[in-house]
Amino acid sequence: MRIAVPAETRPGERRVAAVPDTVAPLVQAGHVVVVQSGAGAQALSDDESYRAVGAQVVDGDVLAGADVVLHVRPLLPADIARLKPGAVTVGFLSPSAEPDGVRALRDAQVTAFSVELVPRISRAQSMDALTSQALVGGYRCALEAAMRLPRFFPLFMTAAGTVPPARVLVLGAGVAGLQAIATAKRLGAVVEAYDVRPASADEVRSMGATFVQLDLESIEGAGGYAREMGEDRAARQRELLAPFVARSDALITTAAVPGRPAPLLVTREMVAAMKPGSVVVDLAAESGGNVEGSIAGEAIQVGRVIQVGMADAASAMPVDASRLYAKNLTNLLALMVSGDGELVVDLDDEVLAGACVTHAGDVLHEPTRLLLEEGS
């Protein structure tokens, strides 16, 4: 089997879909792994490190003739056109945001697996790239807040007086939120957190934070994710959160609904009511933002508050993000390799079926298929 690892070309993307540690077992199993020169450079995996584990490193196109393509960001239609019919791609697809790419995969007769759609079941945990990359993103958000806040996170008791700890509020207690909580706590802050799912309260407390209780009904969706809320409830939630936001030195928002725009949790007026010098870090800025006015990749001033819209958060730490992501992909790929090393796509497997977007000229993922039909 010929496995291709192209260099990522999207602006800001520094990760790579395979690192030498994940390439080595593929080569040992008898597969040919072709890595585009420079693909791992920004993740500190140079060409020589790939060659040392048996990969082929080439300067030109690695997609033509590939049986499997491992990638991070969605492939561009021009890249997809170079794939042979029956090829398999594994990576992020963003099907709702990039319908042209899905159409290209369908028309090219490519079988495409979207790691965003890997079912959240126990046997698929090692393949869950959303979780591994959210961990990196949450950690990075806490560091961003600490670096930008013009005061200490921890308590200091000195001969010159006592410096009180910073107060940090985290909205959204999924993987990213919990990692932001844990990192802020390790840095010494006093942390509060809120999530629409009451079940997350115990996880928040286990991290040493205080769970914010609001007088609202829960809205937990399938697979442990939050689901969308009505506007009346959203407005009431913002009203109840306002005093918690106002007393915080740093606000970190990580709430997301898979396949949908990020929910608006904090208005511009709520940000403006924070203390001078406070910091807001919005991890969801790329999908619309949890905080009104967030711009992905930019820091803006709202009154005397700095509001940071995160972009490519996981890519900001490409070494470990790539290591985790690459392992997710090889674990998913292992479900498609038969005992004699042949590529076998078994769509009776619930993990593969759940993650498959296109196959044999059809769009199998129902929400994506309906979206394409609406846009045609």
Side-chain angles (χ1 to χ4, degrees):
M1 185 165 63
R2 186 178 180 87
I3 302 170
V5 182
E8 298 294 323
T9 59
R10 303 275 181 132
E13 184 54 68
R14 302 169 63 197
R15 292 169 292 179
V16 64
V19 297
D21 284 350
T22 60
V23 168
L26 294 174
V27 173
Q28 291 165 7
H31 305 302
V32 175
V33 180
V34 185
V35 180
Q36 191 168 12
S37 180
Q42 295 190 79
L44 303 186
S45 294
D46 60 21
D47 291 351
E48 275 309 308
S49 66
Y50 287 108
R51 291 191 183 100
V53 296
Q56 298 178 12
V57 179
V58 301
D59 290 325
D61 179 26
V62 297
L63 299 178
D67 298 304
V68 174
V69 178
L70 304 179
H71 61 92
V72 183
R73 292 294 188 94
L75 296 174
L76 297 172
D79 297 324
I80 295 167
R82 300 203 301 276
L83 298 175
K84 67 181 183 181
V88 170
T89 66
V90 186
F92 284 110
L93 280 188
S94 304
S96 62
E98 306 218 8
D100 289 344
V102 176
R103 290 189 186 94
L105 290 163
R106 177 197 63 195
D107 296 344
Q109 303 273 319
V110 170
T111 298
F113 291 94
S114 175
V115 292
E116 302 102 311
L117 301 177
V118 170
R120 283 204 157 177
I121 58 176
S122 58
R123 64 180 284 255
Q125 287 180 347
S126 66
M127 310 161 203
D128 189 349
L130 279 182
T131 291
S132 72
Q133 301 309 288
L135 180 145
V136 181
Y139 174 80
R140 185 70 181 80
C141 282
L143 297 185
E144 188 76 28
M147 288 188 293
R148 289 183 179 270
L149 189 69
R151 53 169 298 181
F152 292 126
F153 258 35
L155 165 73
F156 282 110
M157 301 180 71
T158 76
T162 299
V163 178
R167 299 188 68 94
V168 176
L169 175 63
V170 178
L171 300 183
V175 173
L178 291 173
Q179 188 54 226
I181 292 167
T183 304
K185 284 294 295 181
R186 285 193 290 265
L187 291 172
V190 173
V191 184
E192 296 179 305
Y194 171 73
D195 194 284
V196 297
R197 301 161 300 167
S200 64
D202 288 341
E203 294 174 315
V204 167
R205 296 185 186 108
S206 74
M207 296 291 180
T210 300
F211 186 76
V212 173
Q213 297 279 5
L214 301 182
D215 186 21
L216 293 168
E217 75 280 7
S218 69
I219 52 169
E220 186 161 347
Y225 289 106
R227 58 178 173 82
E228 287 186 288
M229 66 182 82
E231 181 51 39
D232 288 346
R233 186 197 189 282
R236 177 60 177 160
Q237 177 177 280
R238 291 191 288 267
E239 179 185 344
L240 294 174
L241 283 173
F244 295 95
V245 172
R247 75 186 189 188
S248 300
D249 299 298
L251 169 66
I252 299 170
T253 65
T254 67
V257 178
R260 301 288 185 181
L264 178 64
L265 304 180
V266 179
T267 64
R268 188 175 285 105
E269 290 74 22
M270 292 166 70
V271 173
M274 296 175 74
K275 292 173 284 189
S278 298
V279 175
V280 175
V281 179
D282 188 350
L283 181 60
E286 289 180 301
S287 58
N290 295 143
V291 184
E292 185 179 8
S294 288
I295 302 172
E298 294 188 22
I300 62 175
Q301 202 79 26
V302 180
R304 298 182 65 184
V305 177
I306 298 174
Q307 181 174 328
V308 181
M310 296 297 286
D312 304 303
S315 286
M317 312 201 77
V319 175
D320 290 324
S322 295
R323 179 182 294 120
L324 295 171
Y325 182 72
K327 190 63 176 175
N328 294 146
L329 295 199
T330 53
N331 288 337
L332 184 57
L333 180 60
L335 296 182
M336 308 176 215
V337 180
S338 68
D340 56 4
E342 295 297 316
L343 181 64
V344 178
V345 178
D346 179 11
L347 293 181
D348 288 330
D349 184 296
E350 63 180 324
V351 176
L352 295 181
C356 188
V357 175
T358 64
H359 177 68
D362 292 323
V363 177
L364 301 187
H365 183 241
E366 186 71 7
T368 301
R369 185 181 63 78
L370 294 174
L371 181 66
L372 294 186
E373 290 176 353
E374 291 173 2
S376 59

